[in-house]
Amino acid sequence: MSRKELLLQNWMYTYEQEDWYPPLRDALAGVTAAQASWRPTGEAANTIWETVSHLLFFKERLLHRLLGTEFPLSAETNDDTFVPSGGAADEEAWEKTMQRMEDVHRQIQEKLASLSEHDLDQALPSIPASQSVMSIMLHDAFHTGQIIQIRKLQGSWPAKRTFL
């Protein structure tokens, strides 16, 4: 298996196909805007929506870097990336957020599939593209676990699941 094939396979695992942990798409399946806006107890706790917004910021930034285009958003701190678009419990805004996630994931997958082995070694802007992609996958996996934990706390995660 080539490095690109390995990246593409794991890209699929982090978002749409279960391997050792539920993928992000499954973690978000059926979540309503109200559930996405629910905040666990604790000063440092984020909502699902805030976490998805954070993931989107870095996935969209990666896509722009892969495409060689200017990323239109900015954040002075990491905390700034957790700000969701739309109002709390706004179903239409939540659906748009979910569609953005689906779209950016697919676009990165398509771009990754088109890259050569040489392209994977090119800096984006300071680390190789392959490392940038792997880093985003690990980032998604980490936050997917947080999303599942929030769903468990709110009682919206199934008590029993079937997988593999």
Side-chain angles (χ1 to χ4, degrees), residues 123-136:
L124 293 181
S126 59
I127 62 172
S130 60
Q131 187 178 340
S132 295
V133 171
M134 181 58 74
S135 180
I136 289 292

Side-chain angles (χ1 to χ4, degrees), residues 39-80:
R39 184 177 312 282
T41 303
E43 189 174 319
N46 291 307
T47 68
I48 291 172
W49 201 332
E50 289 168 343
T51 302
V52 168
S53 297
H54 171 75
L55 292 174
L56 274 168
F57 179 89
F58 289 105
K59 286 175 86 105
E60 288 173 342
R61 185 180 75 172
L62 173 63
L63 177 61
H64 281 275
R65 287 178 174 176
L66 287 168
L67 296 172
T69 59
E70 186 73 27
F71 183 52
L73 304 176
S74 64
E76 291 196 24
T77 70
N78 188 55
D79 290 343
D80 294 340

Side-chain angles (χ1 to χ4, degrees), residues 42-160:
E43 189 174 319
N46 291 307
T47 68
I48 291 172
W49 201 332
E50 289 168 343
T51 302
V52 168
S53 297
H54 171 75
L55 292 174
L56 274 168
F57 179 89
F58 289 105
K59 286 175 86 105
E60 288 173 342
R61 185 180 75 172
L62 173 63
L63 177 61
H64 281 275
R65 287 178 174 176
L66 287 168
L67 296 172
T69 59
E70 186 73 27
F71 183 52
L73 304 176
S74 64
E76 291 196 24
T77 70
N78 188 55
D79 290 343
D80 294 340
T81 67
F82 284 88
V83 178
S85 59
D90 179 344
E91 288 297 334
E92 185 177 345
W94 174 240
E95 288 301 319
K96 285 181 182 178
T97 299
M98 295 300 298
Q99 189 59 55
R100 272 177 61 206
M101 179 62 75
E102 184 77 24
D103 292 346
V104 73
H105 185 82
R106 290 281 161 249
Q107 289 174 54
I108 292 171
Q109 184 175 356
E110 290 169 8
K111 182 60 180 173
L112 182 57
S114 75
L115 296 178
S116 69
E117 287 291 320
H118 173 75
D119 294 333
L120 292 173
D121 293 325
Q122 298 308 301
L124 293 181
S126 59
I127 62 172
S130 60
Q131 187 178 340
S132 295
V133 171
M134 181 58 74
S135 180
I136 289 292
M137 286 189 284
L138 294 171
H139 185 247
D140 281 3
F142 171 77
H143 286 296
T144 297
Q146 289 180 322
I147 290 166
I148 291 168
Q149 185 63 33
I150 292 168
R151 291 194 63 191
K152 286 179 178 183
L153 290 170
Q154 67 185 203
S156 68
W157 188 252
K160 296 201 186 277

